[in-house]
Amino acid sequence: MDYGKEQLLIKQLPTAVFIKNFIGGHSANYEEYMKDFVNASKLVKEKRNEEFVLREHKQQSQGQADIYNSFYELDFKILVDTKYMETKRMFSNSITEIYPGVTSVGSSKLQGSEKVFDIIKCFRNKTLKDLKDIENGISKNPEDKVIKQILKLVSVDKNILFFLPYDYAFQKKETDSYNAVYIVRCIANDLKELLEYRKLKVNKDTYVAFVSNKYFIITQERDNMLIFYDMIKTSVSDLYTYLFHAGKL
């Protein structure tokens, strides 16, 4: 391998990709394209070869998982500092769909910027003891409040696919299964203690997903580590493709 972790580029995905109904005049939720990606993955075959259905939001508010088939249920969670979501909503240029396929760009709701924490870096070099201390209110660092929020999130007793809304890729290299596995290892090393913490809290399946160039990469937790699970072309979802390109304007 002629590249290392320091050559891994991390780019923010367009705000429209992960903020619900961000494009004016075009209702959209990231759960919709996540369902598309899951249905294009090998998870369908492993779960009785039956495609998943997106549950109505009225039912989700009652604590039900986002997607389901007759055999298995899976919930979606975005794995970021909660302030990141609000910051992107308020400080990103607004987008309005004039008519299908045509959009216009306007000014953001607020001007300026806010400091937010990178979740991967927050958990880098943290021990399980560190996480338990933070859970118990022993705070030492500015990011501990964010870590505590994430600890609560991963303690939810459901099968969960956590989504990192970033593009992880190597400069001037197309993503293939070989370097996708390497990227997964980089992320896995930083999140291994968080995964162990989740296993102490719940006995449910854990997946973590991210984008790498033109692929949606799904990883699976095994023995407190993430392993490469599947990679799906982002082009399988028309909604993702639309949100991605409209959001880049």
Side-chain angles (χ1 to χ4, degrees):
M1 183 174 292
D2 58 353
Y3 49 88
K5 185 175 181 178
E6 66 279 359
Q7 294 174 277
L8 182 62
L9 301 179
I10 305 173
K11 296 184 290 185
Q12 297 180 16
L13 292 177
T15 304
V17 168
F18 57 92
I19 297 295
K20 181 180 178 181
N21 300 333
F22 183 77
I23 299 177
H26 188 280
S27 298
N29 192 321
Y30 83 100
E31 296 168 356
E32 299 172 54
Y33 67 73
M34 294 281 279
K35 180 209 67 175
D36 295 338
F37 293 144
V38 170
N39 279 337
S41 77
K42 66 181 185 181
L43 190 65
V44 170
K45 184 177 181 180
E46 292 182 359
K47 305 305 179 184
R48 295 189 177 177
N49 205 30
E50 183 181 335
E51 287 197 348
F52 291 90
V53 176
L54 182 64
R55 183 169 270 119
E56 294 182 7
H57 282 276
K58 182 178 180 180
Q59 293 176 300
Q60 291 180 31
S61 65
Q62 298 171 357
Q64 302 297 317
D66 293 326
I67 62 172
Y68 67 97
N69 63 19
S70 63
F71 176 68
Y72 190 77
E73 295 196 345
L74 184 65
D75 212 41
F76 299 135
K77 302 290 185 186
I78 297 184
L79 197 59
V80 292
D81 177 353
T82 54
K83 186 183 286 188
Y84 178 77
M85 301 288 284
E86 186 62 21
T87 297
K88 295 296 288 184
R89 183 189 299 276
M90 302 304 292
F91 290 94
S92 297
N93 288 337
S94 63
I95 303 173
T96 302
E97 184 177 76
I98 302 172
Y99 54 86
V102 179
T103 57
S104 65
V105 179
S107 60
S108 60
K109 293 181 179 178
L110 295 177
Q111 300 296 317
S113 62
E114 285 280 349
K115 180 180 179 180
V116 297
F117 291 97
D118 182 328
I119 291 301
I120 297 293
K121 291 180 180 178
C122 283
F123 286 92
R124 185 175 295 163
N125 301 321
K126 289 289 189 300
T127 66
L128 186 58
K129 181 181 182 302
D130 292 333
L131 301 186
K132 289 181 177 179
D133 285 346
I134 294 170
E135 177 191 22
N136 293 325
I138 303 174
S139 182
K140 300 177 182 178
N141 304 297
E143 69 269 19
D144 287 354
K145 181 178 179 181
V146 175
I147 291 176
K148 195 168 185 177
Q149 293 172 352
I150 299 300
L151 295 181
K152 183 177 181 180
L153 183 70
V154 303
S155 298
V156 174
D157 192 19
K158 296 179 182 179
N159 302 316
I160 298 179
L161 190 157
F162 295 99
F163 180 40
L164 294 164
Y166 299 94
D167 185 321
Y168 296 83
F170 290 101
Q171 188 174 18
K172 299 180 180 179
K173 288 185 181 291
E174 292 296 321
T175 297
D176 55 23
S177 59
Y178 183 72
N179 54 37
V181 168
Y182 185 79
I183 296 171
V184 170
R185 288 175 184 168
C186 294
I187 294 173
N189 286 333
D190 290 331
L191 295 181
K192 59 184 179 181
E193 300 299 329
L194 178 62
L195 294 171
E196 184 174 355
Y197 175 91
R198 173 165 160 82
K199 287 295 286 288
L200 292 175
K201 296 292 183 178
V202 299
N203 185 29
K204 293 293 177 68
D205 296 338
T206 304
Y207 301 89
V208 177
F210 58 90
V211 172
S212 184
N213 285 327
K214 298 177 181 179
Y215 288 92
F216 185 79
I217 310 296
I218 302 177
T219 73
Q220 184 181 37
E221 181 271 330
R222 289 283 181 85
D223 299 322
N224 300 326
M225 285 294 289
L226 294 177
I227 61 170
F228 175 85
Y229 181 76
D230 205 354
M231 59 190 298
I232 302 98
K233 288 185 176 180
T234 56
S235 59
V236 305
S237 174
D238 291 338
L239 177 60
Y240 177 87
T241 300
Y242 171 79
L243 294 176
F244 180 82
H245 290 292
K248 287 182 67 177
L249 295 176

